[in-house]
Amino acid sequence: MSQLASISIHNPDLARNPYPLYREMHAKDLIYVDRKNKTYLIGKYNDVDKILKSSIFTTKPLMKRAEPVMGDRVLAQMEGKEHFTKRRMVLHGLTKEYFTKLYQPMITNVTKELIKPYLPLGKIDLVREFGRDYAVLVTLGILGLPTENYQEIAQWHKGIAEFITLFDQTDDQKAHSLDCSKRLISLITPIVEERRLNPGDDFISLLCDGTQEADLRMSTSEITALCLNILLAATEPADKTLAMMFKHLMDTPDIFHAVLNDRSLIREALEETLRLTSPVQLIPREASSDCVISGIKIEQGEHVFCMI
């Protein structure tokens, strides 16, 4: 049976460096509770696995944390046949065939263009001068969205990300995030409508596929929301993962030199980085009825954050 320990989800130390909390959680078999916000932080593997697979725990928190800035439901809110069908449509546009044929040349070009100015200098800031721009440009390229004003798009995307990820936004910050959302939705919506009329072989055209059953076809607002969802999911973690991978490699010189001399090991280094220091740390759920997790009672309507 786990033990309860009190915490405030608004504690800035939690956002700044959560790893001491994780170590204590596992060492003492704890479940953290913020009683004021009726929220539990749960990190044991079996508990998280159970919650994410249970029908008792719903994605209702996403209605408040994601839908307002996405403009419609995101894939994680869908269930059953609808989720299966629409998830399959998304994955179809991310197959190895599409990467090899369409995305790989674009990704190579983006990488070369971003690195080129720094080659004579012999050094680069991996996050500020490469990672952030790389993540946005590649994601826009995959979605087939314009890249001319990508830095402005990155700022709008940042506002959306803050709405979803920050616990303690002020009213002014929320208004800014909603304005960023409005601007991005206004940019993407007419592009989706145009691709529906004149489809190509790009990702958005795949989502507009008219061969699907009528009740499973994605509406324009759903496709726009999904584009925002992908933009968030692809860009927010990318620069963090890249930076953390290099940090881990530099902290372990033997492994760094092994990867340097055998580039086929890069995939393993990347996957181990994602396991060890995941850029996405919390997945919210809400209990639809009273239940018990590791001996701790969770009441209907209370929230849990799965600490993946």
Side-chain angles (χ1 to χ4, degrees):
M1 178 175 175
S2 296
Q3 300 298 312
L4 275 179
S6 295
I7 195 174
S8 169
I9 60 175
H10 298 299
N11 184 342
D13 291 337
L14 178 61
R16 189 179 301 113
N17 180 16
Y19 292 99
L21 184 88
Y22 297 166
R23 286 191 289 271
E24 182 181 44
M25 167 182 278
H26 290 296
K28 299 180 180 179
D29 190 10
L30 300 178
I31 287 179
Y32 289 103
V33 58
D34 182 330
R35 297 191 187 280
K36 181 180 178 181
N37 293 285
K38 297 182 178 180
T39 297
Y40 295 82
L41 278 69
I42 298 175
K44 194 188 300 182
Y45 179 88
N46 289 338
D47 291 344
V48 170
D49 186 58
K50 177 181 178 179
I51 290 167
L52 293 179
K53 292 178 179 178
S54 171
S55 59
I56 293 175
F57 290 92
T58 72
T59 60
K60 195 173 179 180
L62 294 174
M63 291 176 64
K64 293 181 179 180
R65 297 199 69 86
E67 198 169 328
V69 285
M70 296 296 182
D72 206 326
R73 295 178 306 150
V74 295
L75 199 61
Q77 293 173 262
M78 301 174 188
E79 297 178 350
K81 183 179 179 181
E82 181 187 29
H83 180 270
F84 174 80
T85 302
K86 293 179 179 178
R87 181 175 181 269
R88 185 176 60 185
M89 291 169 66
V90 171
L91 292 179
H92 180 60
L94 298 175
T95 60
K96 183 178 180 181
E97 177 186 354
Y98 271 88
F99 265 96
T100 303
K101 179 183 175 183
L102 298 175
Y103 307 149
Q104 187 171 314
M106 176 271 295
I107 292 171
T108 300
N109 184 61
V110 167
T111 304
K112 287 181 177 179
E113 289 301 311
L114 287 175
I115 289 178
K116 187 187 299 182
Y118 299 96
L119 290 177
L121 303 175
K123 62 180 182 179
I124 188 171
D125 184 314
L126 197 61
V127 175
R128 293 184 180 88
E129 295 170 343
F130 177 76
R132 290 174 180 171
D133 287 352
Y134 169 86
V136 174
L137 284 167
V138 167
T139 309
L140 291 175
I142 289 173
L143 291 172
L145 295 172
T147 59
E148 295 82 6
N149 61 333
Y150 79 91
Q151 290 175 325
E152 189 173 29
I153 290 175
Q155 288 303 309
W156 296 340
H157 152 265
K158 182 173 181 288
I160 292 174
E162 288 172 349
F163 187 94
I164 296 172
T165 60
L166 296 182
F167 288 129
D168 53 355
Q169 271 194 314
T170 65
D171 289 342
D172 286 345
Q173 288 171 330
K174 288 180 181 178
H176 170 70
S177 292
L178 292 169
D179 182 64
C180 289
S181 167
K182 183 179 178 181
R183 291 174 186 272
L184 256 180
I185 289 173
S186 295
L187 172 73
I188 296 173
T189 298
I191 295 173
V192 173
E193 291 172 344
E194 194 278 331
R195 302 279 168 80
R196 198 184 292 280
L197 295 173
N198 301 294
D201 57 2
D202 58 276
F203 191 86
I204 291 178
S205 293
L206 284 175
L207 300 180
C208 293
D209 185 4
T211 63
Q212 299 291 328
E213 298 174 42
D215 60 336
L216 291 175
R217 288 178 197 155
M218 289 195 185
S219 66
T220 296
S221 63
E222 280 183 325
I223 295 174
T224 300
L226 188 55
C227 288
L228 292 176
N229 195 179
I230 292 170
L231 189 62
L232 179 71
T235 60
E236 184 68 13
D239 60 338
K240 297 175 178 64
T241 302
L242 189 64
M244 291 307 298
M245 182 177 76
F246 272 86
K247 181 189 183 300
H248 294 320
L249 289 173
M250 289 188 289
D251 285 346
T252 50
D254 291 347
I255 297 177
F256 181 87
H257 289 294
V259 174
L260 185 65
N261 294 323
D262 181 1
R263 300 303 172 88
S264 68
L265 296 175
I266 289 176
R267 182 185 180 92
E268 291 181 42
L270 181 61
E271 289 179 348
E272 180 65 359
T273 299
L274 290 170
R275 184 197 69 79
L276 186 62
T277 46
S278 169
V280 177
Q281 308 238 325
L282 305 174
I283 295 181
R285 291 291 186 266
E286 181 178 306
S288 62
S289 61
D290 293 353
C291 59
V292 176
I293 298 293
S294 282
I296 303 299
K297 183 179 179 181
I298 311 292
E299 295 186 358
Q300 180 181 355
E302 292 186 320
H303 287 186
V304 299
F305 281 101
C306 295
M307 306 176 80
I308 59 170

